[in-house]
Amino acid sequence: MATSARGMTMVETNLMAELTWAEYQDRLRRQNPVILLPVGALEQHGPHLPLGTDHMIPTAICKGVAERISALVAPAFNYGYKSQPKMGGGNHFPGTTSLDGNNLSLTLRDVLKEFARHGSRRVAVVDGHYENQMFLIEGIDLAMRELRYDGINDMKIIRLEYWDFTSSETLAKVFPEGFPGYALEHAAVMETSISLHIHPHLVRLDKLPKDPPADFPPYDVYPTNTAWVPPSGVLSPAKSASAAKGKALFEEYVRTIAAALKKEFPPKATARAAAAAKSTKRKR
């Protein structure tokens, strides 16, 4: 808690965009926080979920993680790589607004280099759009290479997709009749359930489509054969989605991602203690 010049009580925010530059600089120097960068897309998610689902979910997860560890949540990347038919329905749907892969990689490179210029050396890129993966890896690789050229060798970046933190136990609870696989989960049970938990007012349950699961062949065709994709853009039925399932998924992601980042980015005091202990052991 802090007090403003007018005597008003202010809650210390974990959102980078809400800080002044001086407050941001102070937090970096005083707390050495992990910068959490949510990355998503603006992509169709059926007639029942918002276009921003892929950046809204990782942003909410990052906010939850920042309540558990020393972290600041950077503004999300709201645009991502092109939607693909077999995992996102395809780029032919109105509203889906995408970047070329090279542009996504270079934008991430630039932002990561800027974080390093600010003095940050601990960043976690939290992805919510499957198609982004390899372009994020390229952006991270380019940033790390150029930072080394600039003499910065102590930058550490973690990249993760939040769904990889789903345990088999939670999957069994969410899908008692069997998990259809992550590819067909686009705008289906998982994303609909999480959305019901984090922003229920944006979920149109009365518009849930009744399309059967998509059935794709084991190859791709160019130009895209849009007839493969259900007209709704939903790749698997979402009728069994619920806020309770979303709560279970969301809380598991926040808890386990926070634990992973604590492991990879130990607090400064812990790191100093470990170094001191190692030094003492060598002297013995």
Side-chain angles (χ1 to χ4, degrees):
M1 303 284 280
T3 304
S4 70
R6 295 183 179 180
M8 298 175 63
T9 301
M10 301 180 296
V11 177
E12 190 173 57
T13 180
N14 291 325
L15 302 183
M16 179 181 173
E18 293 182 356
L19 297 170
T20 67
W21 74 263
E23 291 167 338
Y24 172 66
Q25 183 182 66
D26 177 66
R27 292 280 286 274
L28 288 182
R29 291 175 175 175
R30 180 166 49 88
Q31 298 180 354
N32 189 30
V34 178
I35 294 185
L36 303 173
L37 177 60
V39 181
L42 192 65
E43 177 191 45
Q44 72 81 22
H45 276 74
H48 64 294
L49 292 180
L51 289 164
T53 294
D54 279 355
H55 67 257
M56 295 165 78
I57 290 178
T59 296
I61 291 170
C62 286
K63 289 178 179 178
V65 170
E67 294 176 358
R68 288 174 170 255
I69 68 172
S70 177
L72 292 175
V73 182
F77 278 24
N78 293 342
Y79 299 96
Y81 182 64
K82 303 177 188 74
S83 178
Q84 300 300 304
K86 291 159 86 171
M87 58 197 73
N91 228 48
H92 59 285
F93 285 89
T96 299
T97 309
S98 306
L99 299 174
D100 286 342
N102 185 57
N103 291 336
L104 177 59
S105 295
L106 294 182
T107 301
L108 179 61
R109 176 204 64 182
D110 290 350
V111 170
L112 293 173
K113 289 176 65 181
E114 285 292 276
F115 290 160
R117 180 179 64 81
H118 304 158
S120 174
R121 295 295 183 268
R122 313 195 307 168
V123 179
V125 179
V126 181
D127 185 25
H129 179 64
Y130 184 86
E131 291 93 322
N132 285 342
Q133 187 178 87
M134 296 310 299
F135 300 103
L136 297 182
I137 292 172
E138 175 70 357
I140 291 169
D141 183 65
L142 292 174
M144 295 291 278
R145 184 172 69 191
E146 294 187 20
L147 287 171
R148 286 194 293 270
Y149 291 159
D150 293 338
I152 297 175
N153 298 300
D154 57 346
M155 185 76 164
K156 183 173 183 179
I157 301 168
I158 303 297
R159 180 201 56 79
L160 62 91
E161 281 74 43
Y162 70 81
W163 51 83
D164 285 337
F165 288 78
T166 316
S167 68
S168 56
E169 293 78 11
T170 299
L171 279 179
K173 292 176 183 177
V174 174
F175 298 97
E177 296 179 1
F179 180 47
Y182 288 111
L184 290 186
E185 262 303 294
H186 179 72
V189 174
M190 295 179 77
E191 288 185 315
T192 302
S193 294
I194 296 171
S195 296
L196 283 169
H197 174 61
I198 63 176
H199 44 241
H201 62 292
L202 296 179
V203 182
R204 292 77 160 170
L205 285 177
D206 60 321
K207 298 188 181 298
L208 279 177
K210 297 181 180 180
D211 297 330
D215 184 17
F216 295 110
Y219 54 84
D220 295 315
V221 171
Y222 304 95
T224 298
N225 184 349
T226 59
W228 290 354
V229 184
S232 67
V234 178
L235 303 187
S236 186
K239 61 184 179 180
S240 67
S242 71
K245 290 180 178 180
K247 184 174 186 288
L249 288 163
F250 182 82
E251 290 182 349
E252 179 166 66
Y253 296 147
V254 169
R255 183 181 68 254
T256 54
I257 291 172
L261 295 182
K262 277 185 179 179
K263 178 182 177 182
E264 294 296 335
F265 298 119
K268 284 195 290 186
T270 302
R272 284 198 300 267
K278 189 174 182 180
S279 175
T280 302
K281 188 174 181 181
R282 281 200 301 265
K283 289 177 182 179
R284 290 177 182 174

